[in-house]
Amino acid sequence: MSEQTASVLTAIDPTTGDVVREVPAATPSQISGIVGRAHDAFTTWKETTFAERAGVLRAVAAHMREHVEELAPLMTQEMGKPIGEARGEVNKAAWAAEHYADHAEEYLADEHIASDATSSYIQHLPLGPVLGVLPWNAPFWIAFRFAAPALMAGNTCVMKHDPHVPGCAAAIGEVFRAVGAPEGIFQVLQARTEDVEQAIRDPRIAAVSFTGSDRAGAKVAAIAASEIKPAVLELGGSDPCIVLADADLEEAAKVSALSRIINAGQSCIAAKRVIVERSVHDEFVELLRAQLAALTVGDPHEDTTQVGPIAREELRENLHRQVASSVEAGAQLVLGGEMPDGPGFFYPVTLLTGVQQGMTACTEETFGPVAVVVAADDADDAIAIANDTPYGLGSSIWTETARGEALARRIEAGQVSVNGIVKTDPRLPSGGIKRSGYGRELGPHGIREFVNAQQVWVGPAVG
């Protein structure tokens, strides 16, 4: 495609199906220029102190908190997040910036290790411009989950956001401009998906952070590896939620329902397979059904709405295919499951029981408000079912606390919540294993992904 015929990135309001925004996609020369500005900025940003970097991040966080009512509706408009959740996401993104402003120096402190040297230690130095290739489902949170630690480590950032949320991407860039952040430290790259390879291969990009599907992640990982560049991948999940007979069933049902329907179920770490010990299966299903049936599905611009639309039409069609295929294979439809009429890309809150391993709802990641219940004979069977997936992102288990902690060691996932919801927290590392990716984000582990852990040996030798 020539420079003159560059395409546009289109945002469609999933509540109405109407086009709400069109933004020109960056041309190859523009992509190179954006990366170049991040590279130029790195030469000075890497020399700043932690206090100077923290000042920028705190200003960014304060600006976002002050402008929640301008920023949150962009998510509601471009990908259908209920407005209450959208406000919460803006504030959570600000929290990530504040957390790393407060703790980066501690996380990256020199680590002294005794050796035959007079002194030997590890210091953590920035790498350069880091490319973040980000998804649509949490436009502000994932942007700051990527950028806050990278910037505080002394790297600069190039954010290539999902092409379906160009307004959100532009607004994040404007936040940095509004607070007077140093020119070039945070660059917004509005580019087509097929042009990501150019950015990854640019020799000025030092590392890559990717959040998205395992299929796309495999492509990004292959390109980055061919250029010998480090990458962190946070990919899809088919997260198990195990409910054993000694669990607080009412609380487990309440939290499982919430985990399943946040962002209309469009979350990598949502509870996607609820695995219930057979002796309490029927009681739990009724509790879960009651929780799901009480949810309000509707216009995400309304404060009372709990479940908004699916972000795009093709995503809704795929979700319905997964439900229909599972029912055809023998699953029981307890709630929902019918494609609604009318404008927008809404899908009803759905509950499937009698689901067996091998059914579509178990073998594929379901991205929508579809709860899947699988019966297990006992704890051992539940663990085996939980691990019978190519994914390994988040997981949860409901049982007596000490038993839950012991069983967590047997669950093949990067994160296990015992008697609670799976969530991301700036203070704690998050990431997956198997086809859910590699590397960690957040906490002290996340900020160390994109640094040079440089060994320094100081002579003369001792002894």
Side-chain angles (χ1 to χ4, degrees):
M1 179 174 289
S2 71
E3 301 283 306
Q4 289 74 32
T5 58
S7 62
V8 298
L9 311 181
T10 302
I12 296 175
D13 186 339
T15 303
T16 64
D18 297 332
V19 174
V20 294
R21 189 168 289 107
E22 290 185 330
V23 174
T27 63
S29 64
Q30 289 170 335
I31 294 172
S32 181
I34 287 168
V35 173
R37 286 191 287 278
H39 182 262
D40 291 344
F42 176 65
T43 61
T44 53
W45 183 248
K46 67 180 180 180
E47 302 298 337
T48 56
T49 65
F50 283 110
E52 289 169 329
R53 298 169 196 167
V56 173
L57 268 291
R58 290 193 183 100
V60 165
H63 184 88
M64 286 197 294
R65 292 192 188 279
E66 291 167 6
H67 293 83
V68 168
E69 296 305 325
E70 300 165 34
L71 299 173
L74 292 169
M75 286 183 272
T76 304
Q77 181 187 60
E78 291 191 329
M79 46 74 60
K81 190 181 291 287
I83 189 63
E85 290 185 23
R87 294 187 188 107
E89 181 171 325
V90 174
N91 283 308
K92 188 174 182 181
W95 178 29
E98 292 162 345
H99 176 79
Y100 279 103
D102 292 342
H103 296 283
E105 187 170 9
E106 168 196 347
Y107 290 160
L108 297 179
D110 292 352
E111 181 181 358
H112 290 264
I113 301 174
S115 73
D116 63 345
T118 302
S119 173
S120 48
Y121 58 93
I122 309 301
Q123 58 184 353
H124 305 94
L125 307 178
L127 295 177
V130 181
L131 174 67
V133 184
L134 310 181
W136 51 266
N137 59 329
F140 278 77
W141 166 242
I142 295 179
F144 280 86
R145 187 178 75 182
F146 148 67
L151 289 169
M152 284 302 302
N155 302 300
T156 55
C157 292
V158 177
M159 181 187 73
K160 189 277 170 193
H161 228 318
D162 186 277
H164 298 93
V165 290
C168 293
I172 294 168
E174 181 55 38
V175 169
F176 281 84
R177 286 188 289 273
V179 302
E183 179 67 28
I185 67 165
F186 184 89
Q187 292 285 292
V188 175
L189 174 57
Q190 300 270 33
R192 303 179 308 160
T193 299
E194 51 264 45
D195 291 330
V196 170
E197 183 171 353
Q198 177 192 338
I200 298 174
R201 293 195 185 280
D202 191 302
R204 295 167 295 185
I205 289 293
V208 181
S209 175
F210 176 84
T211 300
S213 71
D214 59 326
R215 294 181 300 280
K219 295 177 182 177
V220 167
I223 298 168
S226 73
E227 298 290 338
I228 323 293
K229 294 181 180 181
V232 169
L233 307 178
E234 200 264 43
L235 309 180
S238 186
D239 291 16
C241 170
I242 298 171
V243 181
L244 299 181
D246 60 351
D248 180 337
L249 297 184
E250 289 191 4
E251 186 66 14
K254 179 181 176 181
V255 174
S256 298
L258 175 63
S259 176
R260 180 61 273 189
I261 59 86
I262 289 176
N263 197 27
Q266 299 168 114
S267 169
C268 293
I269 57 172
K272 297 187 175 75
R273 294 176 298 141
V274 185
I275 303 164
V276 185
E277 195 165 0
R278 204 175 300 277
S279 62
V280 294
H281 175 275
D282 292 351
E283 181 183 356
F284 178 83
V285 166
E286 178 51 35
L287 290 168
L288 181 60
R289 185 205 64 77
Q291 289 286 337
L292 296 173
L295 294 168
T296 301
V297 180
D299 185 345
H301 299 85
E302 300 292 335
D303 285 319
T304 54
T305 294
Q306 296 167 288
V307 183
I310 302 300
R312 299 196 301 278
E313 185 173 16
E314 73 272 18
L315 299 176
R316 181 175 70 159
E317 291 174 352
N318 186 58
L319 181 67
H320 187 60
R321 174 193 62 80
Q322 292 171 320
V323 170
S325 173
S326 300
V327 171
E328 184 178 344
Q332 287 83 54
L333 192 60
V334 178
L335 278 178
E338 298 294 329
M339 187 75 86
D341 296 323
F345 312 137
F346 292 91
Y347 198 78
V349 176
T350 298
L351 175 59
L352 293 173
T353 62
V355 177
Q356 303 288 327
Q357 293 297 91
M359 291 183 182
T360 305
C362 274
T363 58
E364 298 180 12
E365 180 180 25
T366 51
F367 229 56
V370 177
V372 171
V373 177
V374 182
D377 294 333
D378 52 27
D380 289 338
D381 190 32
I383 296 289
I385 293 170
N387 291 338
D388 186 16
T389 173
Y391 297 106
L393 190 56
S395 61
S396 57
I397 185 165
W398 292 82
T399 183
E400 186 273 326
T401 300
R403 185 188 188 198
E405 290 185 77
L407 291 172
R409 298 180 61 86
R410 296 171 55 190
I411 298 175
E412 296 169 0
Q415 187 171 338
V416 182
S417 290
V418 179
N419 298 328
I421 194 168
V422 177
K423 60 185 178 182
T424 48
D425 183 322
R427 298 166 293 191
L428 300 171
S430 176
I433 61 172
K434 301 195 287 189
R435 289 196 69 85
S436 290
Y438 50 73
R440 289 296 179 266
E441 296 178 297
L442 302 174
H445 301 75
I447 197 171
R448 291 190 176 192
E449 289 286 355
F450 296 133
V451 296
N452 170 17
Q454 184 188 73
Q455 180 216 120
V456 179
W457 187 98
V458 182
V462 294

